[in-house]
Amino acid sequence: MLQVRGAAPEDAGEITRIYNQGIEDRLATFQTEPRPVAEVAAVLRQRANRYPAVVVEDGGRVVAWAWASPYRERPWYQGIAEYSVYVERGERGRGAGRAAVAELIGRCEAAGFHKLVARVFPENEASRALCRSMGFREVGVYRRHARLDGRWRDCLIVERLIGAAAGG
Ligand SMILES: CC(C)(COP(=O)(O)OP(=O)(O)OC[C@H]1O[C@@H](n2cnc3c(N)ncnc32)[C@H](O)[C@@H]1OP(=O)(O)O)[C@@H](O)C(=O)NCCC(=O)NCCS
């Protein structure tokens, strides 16, 4: 059974392992080099007081994670966070991504954020399906936003109003 809990710096090893699978798959990010565990641990520590992060466990084993990260530094954007979600390769399509994002949204609402945004490769059907299923709106597409392995890639922007902002 899937269980979701808050992520701690001690989860950095498992988070990094799953993150690096996503990087290798070239589905989710412009990052091409594996991220070192120490870097992910530092991110978790630095953001701990402000930006929620969660892991999904199946029988005590971490199979997915999601975290919120800063959107822009300007003060009026402090209620917006970007989010990322990664599921272990062999565990995709079993609800772990959905469980991670649902918990992350709840924690971001509790932390006072009013909006979550993400950038998604338009070809990433699983990510688009997850976003749709979780109530994100597709805002539009940045064309040729950056190069991945030398090839221009577009980026789809999605957003979801949360907390007080979601009430109209
Ligand atoms: C994208 C990702 C996080 C989705 O998580 P997941 O656990 O595989 O997805 P879930 O099983 O929770 O499914 C969520 C929804 O997406 C749909 N879905 C999942 N995989 C799909 C696929 N390959 N194609 C189409 N729809 C898919 C499910 O049917 C479900 O829809 P529903 O809620 O309407 O029934 C996961 O596939 C992943 O880690 N991919 C690599 C990294 C990545 O792309 N991260 C996102 C970066 S923007």
Side-chain angles (χ1 to χ4, degrees), residues 19-94:
Y19 201 164
N20 286 339
Q21 290 178 356
I23 291 171
E24 204 176 289
D25 292 344
R26 299 294 196 265
L27 281 172
T29 171
F30 287 103
Q31 170 101 18
T32 52
E33 295 299 314
R35 294 192 75 168
V37 176
E39 192 179 294
V40 170
V43 167
L44 286 167
R45 272 194 302 272
Q46 283 156 14
R47 294 193 192 143
N49 291 333
R50 174 77 182 129
Y51 292 93
V54 300
V55 292
V56 182
E57 291 183 332
D58 188 0
R61 204 173 66 86
V62 175
V63 296
W65 62 269
W67 69 25
S69 52
Y71 169 68
R72 294 276 193 280
E73 282 186 5
R74 307 292 276 174
W76 41 89
Y77 290 136
Q78 293 314 297
I80 306 176
E82 289 212 45
Y83 87 94
S84 306
V85 55
Y86 287 73
V87 178
E88 184 174 327
R89 240 180 231 140
E91 303 289 338
R92 293 175 192 160
R94 293 184 49 229

Side-chain angles (χ1 to χ4, degrees), residues 28 85-87 92-98 119-120 124 126-127 129-130 133:
V85 55
Y86 287 73
V87 178
R92 293 175 192 160
R94 293 184 49 229
R98 192 187 169 81
R119 281 163 290 148
V120 180
N124 191 343
S127 185
L130 173 61
S133 165

Side-chain angles (χ1 to χ4, degrees), residues 123-150:
E123 306 80 7
N124 191 343
E125 289 300 339
S127 185
R128 288 180 77 168
L130 173 61
C131 288
R132 272 195 300 272
S133 165
M134 296 308 299
F136 284 80
R137 180 176 79 90
E138 295 191 347
V139 178
V141 176
Y142 283 130
R143 294 191 55 234
R144 299 194 160 192
H145 208 43
R147 284 190 169 96
L148 177 60
D149 295 327

